Each structure stands twice: as C-alpha cells, then as structure tokens.
Amino acid sequence: MPRARAARARTAALLTVPLVAAGVLATAAAPAGAATTTPRPGAPLTCQGKGVDTEALVRARAETVIDAPLSTVWKLQTDVERWPAWQAHVTGVDRLDHGPFRPGSAFRWTTPIPPNPATPATSLDITSTVKQLKPNSCIRWTGPAVGERLRIDGVHVWSFTKVRGGVLVRTEETHTGEQVDANVPFATEILQQGLDGWLADLKTAAEARSGGHRPC
C-alpha cells in the first residue's frame, strides 16, 4: 500500500476513536451491575414510525432493564442539561430551545477527545434535534457531531417499556461520514461500546435515585 494511502487509512481509524456521538468515549470500566445486552439484528427500532438510517454502514443496538420507575428513567434521559451530572463523558450541554422536551427541541453538547497520533486533544461538538417523541415511550433525534478533521451524521432512537423488574430501555444508532465509512468494523465496535456505556450510566443513575426499587 502506498505510504500516503496507508497514512490516510491509519488516520481514519484513529479518528473513529471519539466517534461516540451518542456519547461515550471509554466504557471498559462500566459500573458494576449495569450489564447491557446486544440484541440480535432485526427490524430497526422506531419512534412514531421513524427509525435509524437503514443505509448507514455503521449501526449498533443495545438494551438493558433498569430497576427504577419509568418516570425516573425518562426524566434523566430527557433533562439533557443535567447529563453532565451522571455522564462523565459529557462536559457540557446547552438547550437551544425552551420549555418541555418535545419534537423540535435541540441541544448542543460536548464530549472530550483525548490526544492521539492523528489529532491533538480537542472536543467533539454535537448538535442534536428531536424529530419524534412519545412521552415515556420513545425518542428519535438526529444531528451532526463535529471535531477537528471529523464529521459524523448520526440518527439515534430510544425506546422505553415497562416490564417485570423495571423498565426495558432499548437504543439503536447509526453513523455516516467519510471517517467512519473508512473503517466500518472498528467504528461499529466503538459505537457499540458507546451505547453500552450510556445505558450503564443511565441504569446506575436511575437506580441510585430510586434506591434500586420500584414502588409497589
């Protein structure tokens, strides 16, 4: 492989490290007891009939059961300005609108990118816009994540269902962009880690807030 081509491939792979536009950079130390599962491939998750980008090459899913009231889980997930209080990888969030979290709501949030051989330490700026929402049931948002020499367009769907033992939270996300498409297996792996980590943090925060028990 020519030297220039090899350098581009290596750079593309390195740039996918901070790809978690959904939000997690490192999840190897997920909180104990916050296990998630990766569902078998199937029909995409949807919210009011809309799902992820089915033509995207990078796609991941995850789910977990949270032992907490649905209202607690929903509040944590939709009170986006408070994400930094329970998600270590989120350094700041700004709502770009006012009032209830609803279709059309938009928010800009940042997550750090550690230095690597391809890029200096910087941050990934993500602007998410809610496209569909059904209270206490589902959310779908889209938007770009932009960093130094990096752009990812993401579509993210969340589903919340009461089940025996708490709330089943399912999530699915797709990424498109030159950098992620250059190394699809690696980008998919990192995205999967990101979804698993987000659910782990959500589970830990919700169960801590509710004492780990749902009301009878």
Side-chain angles (χ1 to χ4, degrees):
M1 180 184 292
R3 181 177 300 176
R5 186 178 176 186
R8 285 196 300 270
R10 184 172 61 253
T11 298
L14 288 167
L15 284 173
T16 59
V17 172
L19 288 191
V20 192
V24 175
L25 290 173
T27 59
T36 61
T37 60
T38 304
R40 293 180 180 178
L45 291 181
T46 62
C47 184
Q48 298 185 320
K50 300 293 185 178
V52 295
D53 182 353
T54 56
E55 296 184 357
L57 300 178
V58 178
R59 174 181 172 186
R61 299 181 68 173
E63 62 183 45
T64 194
V65 174
I66 299 176
D67 185 11
L70 176 56
S71 59
T72 298
V73 178
W74 181 262
K75 176 66 173 177
L76 281 166
Q77 182 71 350
T78 59
D79 190 1
V80 296
E81 290 178 297
R82 295 184 180 274
W83 280 0
W86 56 273
Q87 296 194 67
H89 62 276
V90 178
T91 57
V93 182
D94 292 314
R95 273 284 298 269
L96 303 181
D97 65 317
H98 302 284
F101 197 70
R102 62 194 184 278
S105 289
F107 53 102
R108 183 178 297 114
W109 49 294
T110 58
T111 188
I113 300 175
N116 61 66
T119 62
T122 183
S123 62
L124 192 65
D125 296 317
I126 306 157
T127 302
S128 299
T129 302
V130 178
K131 298 297 186 178
Q132 284 78 31
L133 181 148
K134 183 177 180 181
N136 294 311
S137 178
C138 66
I139 313 168
R140 176 179 177 269
W141 64 57
T142 68
V146 179
E148 187 171 344
R149 289 178 283 170
L150 171 66
R151 179 188 170 101
I152 307 159
D153 289 293
V155 181
H156 202 166
V157 179
W158 294 85
S159 171
F160 306 83
T161 307
K162 286 185 178 181
V163 296
R164 181 182 297 274
V167 179
L168 172 63
V169 182
R170 297 183 295 164
T171 186
E172 182 172 24
E173 185 170 10
T174 53
H175 285 169
T176 57
E178 181 180 355
Q179 291 85 2
V180 293
D181 289 346
N183 193 332
V184 171
F186 186 74
T188 301
E189 179 183 354
I190 295 301
L191 177 57
Q192 185 66 60
Q193 291 175 358
L195 298 184
D196 291 344
W198 193 320
L199 287 182
D201 285 347
L202 181 61
K203 179 179 175 72
T204 297
E207 292 182 351
R209 179 169 294 190
S210 66
H213 300 285
R214 292 166 292 110
C216 297

